[in-house]
Amino acid sequence: MSPSVSSSRIAVIGGGPAGLAAAEVLAAAGLGVDLFDAMPSLGRKFLMAGRGGLNLTHNELLDAFLARYGSRQGELAPLVRAFDPRALRDWAAGLGVETFVGSSGRVFPREMKAAPLLRAWVHRLRESGVVTHARHRWLGWDDTGRLRFATPAGEQHHTAPAAILALGGGSWARLGSDAAWVPVLQDRGVSIAPLKPSNCGFDIAWSPFFRDKFAGQPVKNVVASCLAADGTALRRRGEFVISEHGVEGSLVYALSTPLRDRLERDGSATLTLDLLPDHSAERVLADVSHPRGARSLSSHLQSRVGIAGVKAALLREVLSKEAMLDPGRLAHAIKALPLTLRATRPMDEAISTAGGVSFDAMDGNFMLKRLPGVFCAGEMLDWEAPTGGYLLTACIASGRATAQGLLRWQGAPGSAEDAR
């Protein structure tokens, strides 16, 4: 018979930002908390996200910040307003982590690292009585409603008066977000929107020469544009990276949602690049039309308009030889170079995922209507956001809001029943 533990302590399942935030609120309210995670240590994806400098949140005006949540702004706005970017920065300061606003408006820890914040956070949770259980992979429930966990010592069962699921999305499975919870909840009748890659790269059919020579190189200072599913033109300025399979990086991620939706609807999508956003179309046409004499086209482009390296190679990759020699067609391509996208990269490579537990499947306390006493938080809910601090802010705000919902529910008749 597998080991079984019965406890009056709340079970929080998932040791990412949403789960940690939920545990923090519950412990502050005086409740006992058992925090379970499948990995050997907590916050694995959080640490990976901070590898290049942890982007905690963003400093823009709150209304603009909330608009980043798109079609889920209505559901997420109350959560984020209750724990907004200023509150998040104050919270980090309370952990001894000072923050600063970068030139892009993104907010980072002074040390540009995730590990110090995570260590301080986990230490404070343990000091408040939260008990952590690593290498406990949640499997669902047994026939009596007990929580099932796969552990190095074999399957274990745990009984708790309520449980918060904060199990992440479906990207970066090796760090714990493997979406194994989807069929478990679907079998219990919970409505779940299909998971999709978000903040992801895309496949392009590069020629072998271009792929071998330029994969890994950044394309800087460009404006990328595309059409949303409703026909709205979207434009973003920044940089991206040529990958072996296509394109990736911050500028691509910023447009990944409309590009993905176009691919789903039409089977293909076009990402259009302005390679010289600070030059007017008239100026570019005049410059490329200027007689080049004995100079090669490459030298001409570099000297007249500053196009060289990977940008010049992109032009040659897309245009025919005849088009490259036609000043009008060449100038047009410099200002509007179309890249045909064939597919999104696999979901496990994406920074985050869209889809998840439907908001309609939960009540106002974020409790599953089909499973009284079971609450959901974080990226496993059906929402998405661009990079830039919006993901992390909403995950932490969601964890806190769900814990507060559980506290409200505990005062209701029947709230002492086991979570099942």
Side-chain angles (χ1 to χ4, degrees):
M1 183 176 181
S2 60
S4 180
V5 176
S6 181
S7 174
S8 61
R9 301 163 63 85
I10 306 299
V12 175
I13 306 173
L20 296 176
E24 186 170 44
V25 170
L26 296 175
L31 276 64
V33 179
D34 284 297
L35 177 60
F36 300 89
D37 194 80
M39 304 304 289
S41 59
L42 303 176
R44 288 291 183 95
K45 189 175 179 181
F46 179 76
L47 288 175
M48 179 63 74
R51 187 172 58 178
L54 180 65
N55 184 191
L56 278 172
T57 188
H58 204 286
N59 195 48
E60 67 187 342
L61 294 175
L62 187 56
D63 285 347
F65 188 102
L66 295 174
R68 303 290 188 174
Y69 298 109
S71 63
R72 287 289 176 260
Q73 180 178 349
E75 290 86 355
L76 292 176
L79 284 62
V80 175
R81 287 187 185 279
F83 195 72
D84 62 17
R86 181 68 262 174
L88 194 153
R89 295 183 69 184
D90 291 342
W91 165 83
L95 289 170
V97 176
E98 296 300 322
T99 57
F100 73 96
V101 181
S103 58
S104 64
R106 299 184 181 206
V107 176
F108 300 91
R110 288 283 177 195
E111 296 184 27
M112 294 293 288
K113 296 177 182 178
L117 188 150
L118 181 62
R119 282 196 300 269
W121 197 0
V122 173
H123 175 75
R124 190 164 73 181
L125 287 172
R126 288 173 174 157
E127 288 287 302
S128 69
V130 174
V131 177
T132 60
H133 306 267
R135 294 186 173 93
H136 277 61
R137 181 175 296 278
W138 182 66
L139 301 175
W141 298 270
D142 68 8
D143 292 340
T144 66
R146 296 177 301 176
L147 297 163
R148 298 173 55 215
F149 294 94
T151 79
E155 183 169 322
Q156 296 186 2
H157 294 166
H158 187 95
T159 303
I164 292 178
L165 305 181
L167 295 162
S171 62
W172 297 15
R174 65 189 177 88
L175 301 179
S177 297
D178 58 8
W181 53 268
V182 171
V184 176
L185 294 185
Q186 285 179 327
D187 287 347
R188 298 277 176 149
V190 177
S191 175
I192 298 173
L195 297 183
K196 307 174 185 179
S198 183
N199 295 295
C200 59
F202 294 87
D203 288 342
I204 295 176
W206 298 133
S207 67
F209 171 81
F210 182 86
R211 180 185 63 241
D212 294 344
K213 187 173 179 60
F214 294 99
Q217 292 201 21
V219 182
K220 298 184 177 183
N221 191 27
V222 296
V223 167
S225 60
C226 69
L227 291 177
D230 63 0
T232 302
L234 304 172
R235 292 169 56 86
R236 297 287 188 275
R237 184 167 183 155
E239 63 180 77
F240 66 96
V241 176
I242 302 295
S243 72
E244 179 183 358
H245 303 285
V247 291
E248 60 187 23
S250 58
L251 184 57
V252 173
Y253 301 155
L255 296 171
S256 63
T257 296
L259 290 169
R260 179 201 66 212
D261 292 347
R262 275 271 171 177
L263 278 164
E264 286 185 351
R265 194 188 75 174
D266 302 334
S268 67
T270 301
L271 180 67
T272 303
L273 302 178
D274 182 345
L275 301 177
L276 291 175
D278 295 322
H279 292 59
S280 68
E282 293 77 15
R283 176 181 170 183
V284 172
L285 178 59
D287 284 338
V288 300
S289 299
H290 192 277
R292 60 185 173 95
R295 287 184 303 177
S296 68
L297 179 58
S298 297
S299 297
H300 181 64
L301 285 175
Q302 184 168 4
S303 63
R304 296 299 304 183
V305 293
I307 292 285
V310 65
K311 286 187 177 181
L314 277 168
L315 288 168
R316 295 183 184 278
E317 182 73 3
V318 175
L319 299 181
S320 65
K321 291 182 179 179
E322 293 76 16
M324 287 291 294
L325 296 173
D326 182 326
R329 293 166 70 184
L330 176 59
H332 178 77
I334 290 172
K335 294 296 291 179
L337 184 70
L339 300 182
T340 301
L341 311 182
R342 299 191 303 168
T344 61
R345 293 299 300 152
M347 187 164 64
D348 194 48
E349 295 181 12
I351 290 177
S352 59
T353 49
V357 175
S358 168
F359 281 88
D360 291 338
M362 302 178 293
D363 66 11
N365 290 325
F366 302 97
M367 184 173 72
L368 293 172
K369 297 174 182 176
R370 290 292 195 112
L371 298 169
V374 180
F375 300 74
C376 293
E379 196 183 335
M380 68 183 293
L381 305 184
D382 180 18
W383 62 279
E384 64 180 314
T387 58
Y390 310 104
L391 286 164
L392 185 53
T393 299
C395 280
I396 294 175
S398 171
R400 293 178 60 87
T402 300
Q404 290 157 357
L406 186 153
L407 292 173
R408 289 191 298 270
W409 171 81
Q410 276 207 321
S415 64
E417 296 179 2
D418 290 343
R420 55 194 176 93

